[in-house]
Amino acid sequence: MFEAMADGLTALLSVERFLFMMFGVLVGMALGAIPGLGGVVGLALLLPFTFDMDPTAAIAMLVALSSVPVTTDTIPSVLFAVPGTVGSQATILDGHPMARKGEAGRAFGAAYFSSLLGGVVGAVILGMLIPILKPLVLLFRAPELFSLGIMGISMVAILSGRVPLKGIVAGGMGLLLSMIGIDKQEGLLRWTFDSLYLFDGLNIIVISLGIFALPELADMVIEGKQISSVPKQAMKGVGHGIRDVFTNWWLMLRCAFLGTWVGIIPGLGSAVVDWLAYGHAKSTCKDAALTFGTGDVRGVIAPESANNAKQGGALVPTLAFGIPGSASMALLIGAFMIHGLQPGPAMLEQHLDITFAIVWSTAIANIMATVIALCFTNQLAKISSVRINILAPLVTVVVFLAAYQATASIFDLVTVLLFGLLGWVMKRCGWPRPPLLLGFLLGGLIERYLFISVRAYGASFLIQPLVLVVLAVTIATIYYSVKQERKVRQLTGDTREGE
């Protein structure tokens, strides 16, 4: 094992392979900073060019490319409240308020460094657990995956702030929206209104851009100010943000382990991991109910460490069993097969050196991306001092282009505008927006695994041991969240009554 680790690192550090990996890092960082793109687009673009490449160089480049977009997707999330990728949506909740308060640099420092540590933790866990995870992964069948979906939807109670009823209604709206299109189980059309555009359902990128990006841009234009009210302070917070990560090292580590575990389980994916980490942080951190959503750096550290660690976890089922943990992993499997590598036991026996080269690529790519990003953080933070009247038209164009590339339909533009209006009304009326998005993300998963569970086990799937454990944890989480909210009401009740 140690010999294979050394061989993988030695093979990776040859000049040619290292340069290809560096190229993958730069492409991945660029794609992460552009809303609506991300690693899947980059993999799809570069995959055809790897046919004649050395297998180790090609795989290292593609793995590096897929590992780093979740580092630079912080840039649009913090500065413009525009999710760079689906894995950066939760970062907006506290990252953008930090930028508005003049702490963009601090948010960048915390996000980049927690991303680095989370990615390294995921790579280390990947290297340690590949040989022993097969029995554990195989424990999760449809009933267990359904219970994990229920655990995820329970985060609605946590993400709803002081208005849990509004959060539940918003989450229900998200579940209903997820049912638009062709029923994947029985092939029936639901709520399509005879529109071909709705046959495949609504696109997550379009919804997230509409719900989060357009309302923030509209409000900033109405105020007529720059993103940061105190721009000079924004340039000085990088070191402060890095120190915040060390101060909250236990939170970072917990969320990194959570992200790795979510990545290991096929079917959950990057769209959920940041919300789970954010919900976990909000339910466990001291006074989080009072400060999360207003610019708490812990609300940046949690999702950023989790979504980078997720990549290492997603590689476990991909390498060990040939089961793609995400869309990018499915493309990587295609790259393996192009170069004569069969994911599964052969990767752990005949090609163990290449397997560990992949592990090293994940860790080194995260380190390189963080160093490059930190070198330019001050320049990025300066964007926050530009008046929004200048930036808004450019960012709006990017938002609509990102929405259009989802299905290349004119209806994408109409949909993002409608959801932008919905998001703006929800924000103005005090309705939480994250539960709607979470309900949409988990609706399809819950429905699919419920259908399979009922067909395979009947009602008895609810009494499977692992299902009972997960549901018990879910109930405990909801109880703790409600208890925390009651404490907050007691602390603030006198003030609100006075008002």
Side-chain angles (χ1 to χ4, degrees):
M1 184 71 67
F2 288 107
E3 183 180 350
M5 291 176 64
D7 290 344
L9 180 60
T10 302
L12 192 63
L13 294 181
S14 70
V15 175
E16 180 185 0
R17 291 166 178 167
F18 188 83
L19 288 176
F20 274 115
M21 183 175 65
M22 183 69 181
F23 176 72
V25 168
L26 294 175
V27 172
M29 292 180 69
L31 292 172
I34 301 173
L37 297 183
V40 176
V41 174
L43 288 172
L45 290 174
L46 289 187
L47 187 59
F49 296 98
T50 66
F51 281 83
D52 297 325
M53 289 177 59
D54 167 66
T56 304
I59 300 301
M61 179 181 71
L62 295 176
V63 169
L65 187 153
S66 64
S67 298
V68 299
V70 286
T71 298
T72 50
D73 62 3
T74 307
I75 298 169
S77 299
V78 169
L79 292 180
F80 311 116
V82 177
T85 66
V86 292
S88 66
Q89 296 166 72
T91 305
I92 294 173
L93 301 184
D94 283 283
H96 188 61
M98 288 180 71
R100 298 290 296 273
K101 294 190 298 185
E103 296 183 326
R106 182 185 178 190
F108 283 139
Y112 292 150
F113 207 70
S114 56
S115 293
L116 163 64
L117 296 179
V120 171
V121 168
V124 170
I125 295 174
L126 167 64
M128 292 172 59
L129 296 187
I130 279 179
I132 61 175
L133 264 179
K134 184 175 180 178
L136 194 58
V137 172
L138 293 179
L139 286 175
F140 281 81
R141 301 160 297 170
E144 288 76 20
L145 292 170
F146 167 75
S147 64
L148 286 174
I150 295 298
M151 175 184 281
I153 207 69
S154 71
M155 294 297 163
V156 165
I158 299 172
L159 297 173
S160 300
R162 301 178 187 178
V163 282
L165 184 58
K166 288 183 177 179
I168 291 170
V169 173
M173 289 171 57
L175 286 171
L176 292 175
L177 289 171
S178 72
M179 295 180 185
I180 294 175
I182 299 176
D183 177 8
K184 301 299 190 299
Q185 282 71 48
E186 298 184 354
L188 302 176
L189 293 175
R190 302 183 298 191
W191 298 2
T192 58
F193 305 103
D194 294 325
S195 170
L196 287 174
Y197 175 73
L198 295 177
F199 274 28
D200 290 329
L202 296 172
N203 186 276
I204 180 58
I205 295 175
V206 174
I207 292 179
S208 61
L209 287 171
I211 288 290
F212 285 110
L214 292 184
E216 299 298 334
L217 286 172
D219 280 351
M220 285 190 288
V221 169
I222 292 170
E223 294 173 9
K225 300 177 181 178
Q226 65 269 20
I227 296 170
S228 169
S229 57
V230 193
K232 291 183 180 179
Q233 293 182 6
M235 317 308 166
K236 302 177 181 179
V238 178
H240 192 179
I242 294 174
R243 289 194 298 273
D244 286 328
V245 178
F246 284 109
T247 303
N248 297 281
W249 67 271
W250 179 230
L251 171 65
M252 181 280 300
L253 199 59
R254 294 199 313 269
C255 291
F257 275 98
L258 174 64
T260 305
W261 180 243
V262 171
I264 288 172
I265 302 172
L268 292 185
S270 59
V272 179
V273 63
D274 58 326
W275 293 113
L276 293 178
Y278 188 88
H280 168 74
K282 189 174 180 181
S283 64
T284 58
C285 291
K286 184 179 180 180
D287 297 328
L290 292 169
T291 59
F292 270 46
T294 63
D296 191 322
V297 72
R298 296 174 296 179
V300 174
I301 293 171
E304 288 299 315
S305 56
N307 61 26
N308 273 60
K310 178 267 308 176
Q311 185 70 13
L315 281 166
V316 172
T318 303
L319 294 173
F321 320 120
I323 301 172
S326 64
S328 60
M329 293 300 107
L331 288 172
L332 275 180
I333 287 179
F336 291 152
M337 294 182 174
I338 287 172
H339 294 281
L341 301 173
Q342 181 63 47
M347 291 294 293
L348 305 180
E349 297 171 2
Q350 303 170 22
H351 305 293
L352 194 57
D353 56 336
I354 296 180
T355 300
F356 276 106
I358 293 171
V359 176
W360 284 113
S361 298
T362 304
I364 295 173
N366 276 281
I367 295 171
M368 293 168 63
T370 301
V371 171
I372 295 171
L374 286 174
C375 288
F376 293 97
T377 294
N378 283 338
Q379 285 71 27
L380 295 171
K382 288 178 183 177
I383 300 174
S384 65
S385 65
V386 180
R387 291 189 65 84
I388 194 62
N389 293 343
I390 298 173
L391 282 176
L394 299 175
V395 178
T396 303
V397 169
V398 172
V399 167
F400 278 95
L401 285 176
Y404 181 74
Q405 64 85 36
T407 61
S409 169
I410 192 67
F411 291 106
D412 288 328
L413 306 181
V414 177
T415 304
V416 76
L417 192 60
L418 291 175
F419 275 99
L421 179 61
L422 174 63
W424 188 79
V425 171
M426 291 178 71
K427 183 180 180 183
R428 287 287 176 172
C429 297
W431 283 68
R433 291 170 288 168
L436 186 148
L437 195 61
L438 189 62
F440 180 82
L441 289 170
L442 291 174
L445 292 173
I446 291 174
E447 183 182 13
R448 178 165 68 251
Y449 292 127
L450 176 62
F451 179 85
I452 297 172
S453 300
V454 171
R455 285 294 180 93
Y457 303 97
S460 64
F461 82 91
L462 288 171
I463 58 173
Q464 302 290 326
L466 200 52
V467 172
L468 293 175
V469 171
V470 174
L471 292 179
V473 172
T474 302
I475 293 170
T477 301
I478 295 174
Y479 172 77
Y480 183 80
S481 301
V482 172
K483 187 177 178 180
Q484 290 295 104
E485 293 300 334
R486 285 180 178 174
K487 281 186 179 180
V488 173
R489 289 196 189 97
Q490 290 173 0
L491 290 172
T492 59
D494 294 339
T495 304
R496 283 186 288 179
E497 288 174 4
E499 292 172 354

